[in-house]
Amino acid sequence: MNFQTNITLTPLKVLMVNPLMPGSQLTIVKILSGAVFGSNQLIDLILLVYSNEKPSAEALKLELIGCAFSCNNSIEVTSDLPSFSDADVFCFMTNFPNPNKVDFDRIDIDEQFDTFYLTIKIAHNLLVKSSTEEETLDNTDNTLKNKKVIKKSIKPIIVADGLVTMDILLSFSKNIPTNIFFCPTSITGAAKSVLGDYLKVQCYTINNVHVWAANDDVLHVEVDKPIIIYDTVNDLPNCDWEALGKNQLDSFNLDHTQFNDSWMKKEFIDKVTSCASKNPYGCIFRAAEFAKTLQAIWLSRSSENGSKVYCNLGVISDGSLGTVKGYPYILPVILSGEFWTVNKYLEDDTHLKHEIKRINVIVKDHHNKLISYCKKFLVENVLNQAFLRSDEETSSVIDKSRSSI
């Protein structure tokens, strides 16, 4: 009798910030069911909550255990601020109305206080230990040595639900590497949806979409040609231009002039911007986009043949394509193992260079406003402890100023 089994991998430590939010819970279900990291990847899940939220988190833990998910190895509830070595994957889910942009004139501080507070506190506590600190293990303890080697082989990643959280974490942490931050984007889906509706085809038939953006309102999108993947482009008949074959356009009763460069660079961008900016960022959408981002990142890391993953993600720019180094952008990236690079598609295109200059202005302006606001928030609500919402929460706020949340 032949029994075939899959080898289970060393457990992956996944820390979920704000796990009681609906979007977080949907993401957790996807992770523990194997839909994100694979069915043979065991998960050590850490639920990070405020101290007064522990009872609810313990109830969630029991419910998750009762589901008997195949990838569940262990679940821990904690209110201690994490260090950089406490997890392999840090997941940040927030309640910002738009996770990629803050409307500073309409901030609901009562609603978003906990998110700002927790994100800033965690950022201050995330430190990468120096090499001398890593070597403080007893040389005679071979077991600890082996564990340390295994730990070093995994490069941690930080995945947020938007550019705002990424910016806060990087700006208020002291020595976190810039190339481990990621966040999803809805613009790719919006672009395919706009073209799919316009051409009356399924979204999966649309070719690769490349996105450069500061947020959901300031962006540029290019689509690989031919736009429709399954369109036949050859000498008979000749294409009126490179986007679509003449037969394909005729079948849609469309004029080829509707797909000239002017339309794709103006009206199409306007339609995508309108579609992306109206996204409600509900819990289901956030969880779906978050899970897809984690899956894409891990696909490149777990690939045994070194295959690359091409996608659009929120990252901290390395200065490529004329972007400002160290600032958060949505860019077309190429994931390869534990590293990523910016896709140099249309690197020499004059129009793209102009668009990136426009995007740079918005990115720097929003970053400066966000950091100024957070510094003010830090002084008023953390250093001076001026914010006490009610008698019941006074003790909780005081606890937050210590080593635990």
Side-chain angles (χ1 to χ4, degrees):
M1 185 177 293
N2 182 22
F3 292 97
Q4 294 183 348
T5 59
N6 291 327
I7 299 176
T8 56
L9 303 177
T10 304
L12 191 69
K13 287 188 176 182
V14 178
L15 186 145
M16 178 65 70
V17 180
N18 295 320
L20 299 179
M21 297 181 62
S24 298
Q25 296 180 28
L26 290 171
T27 304
I28 289 172
V29 169
K30 286 179 174 288
I31 291 174
L32 294 183
S33 63
V36 176
F37 299 108
S39 58
N40 61 338
Q41 177 63 68
L42 295 177
I43 302 295
D44 287 331
L45 182 64
I46 304 171
L47 307 178
L48 180 65
V49 295
Y50 285 117
S51 55
N52 60 341
E53 294 177 332
K54 273 192 169 183
S56 299
E58 290 289 350
L60 173 62
K61 171 184 174 179
L62 293 175
E63 188 173 357
L64 292 172
I65 294 175
C67 291
F69 289 113
S70 59
C71 296
N72 179 22
N73 187 61
S74 69
I75 301 177
E76 174 189 355
V77 175
T78 182
S79 61
D80 294 332
L81 289 170
S83 65
F84 190 67
S85 59
D86 287 342
D88 303 310
V89 181
F90 295 81
C91 300
F92 287 81
M93 194 74 73
T94 68
N95 66 343
F96 293 129
N98 186 329
N100 294 316
K101 178 183 178 182
V102 175
D103 187 346
F104 296 98
D105 297 325
R106 303 166 69 178
I107 294 179
D108 187 345
I109 189 58
D110 291 332
E111 182 71 21
Q112 298 168 25
F113 175 87
D114 287 343
T115 295
F116 273 111
Y117 187 99
L118 183 56
T119 305
I120 295 174
K121 289 282 285 185
I122 292 176
H124 273 283
N125 207 66
L126 284 178
L127 295 173
V128 177
K129 294 182 179 180
S130 63
S131 58
T132 56
E133 290 175 313
E134 294 284 358
E135 295 172 357
T136 57
L137 295 174
D138 186 356
N139 292 331
T140 62
D141 194 336
N142 293 326
T143 302
L144 288 179
K145 279 185 179 180
N146 293 334
K147 286 185 178 180
K148 182 57 64 177
V149 171
I150 294 174
K151 185 65 178 176
K152 282 186 176 181
S153 67
I154 300 176
K155 183 179 180 180
I157 61 173
I158 297 176
V159 183
D161 61 350
L163 297 170
V164 174
T165 303
M166 286 175 51
D167 203 357
I168 294 174
L169 289 171
L170 180 64
S171 299
F172 286 90
S173 61
K174 295 181 180 179
N175 61 351
I176 299 298
T178 60
N179 62 351
I180 63 170
F181 289 89
F182 302 93
C183 78
T185 175
S186 64
I187 301 174
T188 305
K192 289 199 172 189
S193 177
V194 168
L195 278 178
D197 289 345
Y198 196 71
L199 297 173
K200 295 179 173 55
V201 297
Q202 296 294 323
C203 290
Y204 73 88
T205 66
I206 304 297
N207 212 337
N208 297 324
V209 173
H210 305 269
V211 178
W212 301 262
N215 49 52
D216 302 332
D217 298 322
V218 182
L219 56 91
H220 181 68
V221 177
E222 292 280 351
V223 183
D224 277 348
K225 301 171 184 176
I227 291 178
I228 296 182
I229 301 174
Y230 303 112
D231 183 32
T232 301
V233 180
N234 50 39
D235 295 334
L236 294 173
N238 292 321
C239 287
D240 282 13
W241 78 299
E242 295 179 344
L244 292 171
K246 185 176 184 300
N247 289 345
Q248 188 77 56
L249 286 171
D250 290 342
S251 67
F252 299 143
N253 295 320
L254 294 174
D255 183 353
H256 72 276
T257 59
Q258 291 178 284
F259 290 93
N260 56 27
D261 284 343
S262 177
W263 187 89
M264 292 297 294
K265 287 178 168 56
K266 183 64 175 74
E267 293 182 50
F268 170 61
I269 301 297
D270 291 343
K271 290 178 182 292
V272 173
T273 302
S274 177
C275 180
S277 62
K278 291 179 181 178
N279 199 303
Y281 288 101
C283 60
I284 297 176
F285 170 80
R286 290 199 192 207
E289 292 296 313
F290 202 100
K292 284 193 292 186
T293 298
L294 276 174
Q295 187 179 38
I297 295 170
W298 215 253
L299 181 62
S300 69
R301 291 194 168 205
S302 60
S303 174
E304 296 180 356
N305 57 4
S307 61
K308 298 179 179 180
V309 176
Y310 294 76
C311 57
N312 300 301
L313 290 177
V315 294
I316 302 299
S317 174
D318 60 357
S320 299
L321 301 177
T323 55
V324 184
K325 185 177 181 179
Y327 283 60
Y329 288 81
I330 294 170
L331 296 171
V333 299
I334 304 172
L335 302 171
S336 179
E338 294 185 345
F339 304 96
W340 61 265
T341 56
V342 176
N343 193 336
K344 299 299 178 64
Y345 178 74
L346 295 181
E347 179 181 16
D348 298 324
D349 186 80
T350 303
H351 181 73
L352 177 60
K353 291 180 179 179
H354 176 77
E355 289 298 289
I356 289 178
K357 288 181 179 179
R358 178 175 67 95
I359 291 170
N360 286 345
V361 174
I362 303 301
V363 168
K364 289 190 286 187
D365 180 65
H366 186 270
H367 169 81
N368 293 333
K369 289 181 179 179
L370 177 63
I371 302 309
S372 296
Y373 178 85
C374 289
K375 287 181 177 178
K376 180 182 177 183
F377 178 92
L378 187 64
V379 171
E380 293 179 351
N381 303 309
V382 179
L383 300 182
N384 295 338
Q385 289 294 312
F387 192 97
L388 298 178
R389 285 169 290 179
S390 66
D391 294 338
E392 294 179 355
E393 294 172 324
T394 299
S395 60
S396 177
V397 173
I398 293 174
D399 287 342
K400 294 173 189 175
S401 65
R402 301 180 184 139
S403 61
S404 63
I405 301 174

